[in-house]
Amino acid sequence: MASWKDVEEQAPELAARARRLFDAHMHKTIATLRADGSPRISGIEAQFEAGELTFGSMPASRKGADLRRDPRFALHSTSTDPPEGAPADWEGDAKIAGRAVPTGPLIGEAEGDAFRADVTEVVVTCLNEAADRLVVEFWREGSGVRRVERE
């Protein structure tokens, strides 16, 4: 599994764009798996600290229970609408998938569980300069960076 630092070393430009999109807003969305395998979407805050992507859950939260039972997750940055009249200026959005690794209790004012991410995929989606194609750039562990354009 890759740490965030590994992603930054293997795909520096994509990692920088993804981090900028994640850091632009406090609130993100995380998808976890319920006990029956169905998806659960929850709000979350996540941080990049010392080469790691970290996040937490409140005591007895369903998202924390989901991650302890099945560590797979998908994290999505906040997505904004393209600027009026200038769709090519849309910064896009980012997604990170992987496995949550418990690192102990949250430290500080909040109580709950702390996790770090073992990253398996990073995706940044935006528009091309002409704003007539969707550009999807992604990194997958062991595969490097790829770029796809779609109409």
Side-chain angles (χ1 to χ4, degrees):
M1 291 288 163
S3 68
W4 184 252
K5 183 178 181 178
D6 295 331
V7 176
E8 290 176 319
E9 291 171 355
Q10 294 174 29
E13 292 177 19
L14 183 65
R17 287 201 332 271
R19 182 171 177 169
R20 189 170 48 252
L21 289 162
F22 273 98
D23 286 345
H25 303 278
M26 180 185 303
H27 298 109
K28 290 85 170 144
T29 306
I30 192 168
T32 59
L33 295 169
R34 299 171 191 253
D36 68 0
S38 62
R40 181 189 316 273
I41 299 291
S42 304
I44 197 166
E45 296 177 19
Q47 303 78 35
F48 297 92
E49 301 173 336
E52 299 286 358
L53 170 59
T54 63
F55 46 86
S57 67
M58 296 172 69
S61 75
R62 294 292 82 218
K63 115 180 94 186
D66 290 348
L67 292 170
R68 285 189 302 278
R69 183 183 51 262
D70 185 330
R72 293 176 293 171
F73 73 90
L75 185 67
H76 188 250
S77 70
T78 299
S79 186
T80 59
D81 292 335
E84 185 80 28
D89 292 339
W90 178 54
E91 291 190 19
D93 63 15
K95 300 167 205 72
I96 298 172
R99 288 180 170 75
V101 178
T103 58
L106 284 172
I107 299 171
E109 294 180 24
E111 292 183 17
D113 298 313
F115 298 90
R116 71 170 171 77
D118 277 342
V119 181
T120 57
E121 182 180 64
V122 177
V123 179
V124 172
T125 305
C126 61
L127 297 175
N128 67 358
E129 288 185 27
D132 61 359
R133 289 181 178 265
L134 189 67
V135 177
V136 181
E137 288 185 87
F138 57 95
W139 170 92
R140 289 194 180 122
E141 188 176 20
S143 299
V145 177
R146 295 183 185 207
R147 176 185 170 111
V148 175
E149 291 194 25
R150 297 186 176 150
E151 286 190 45

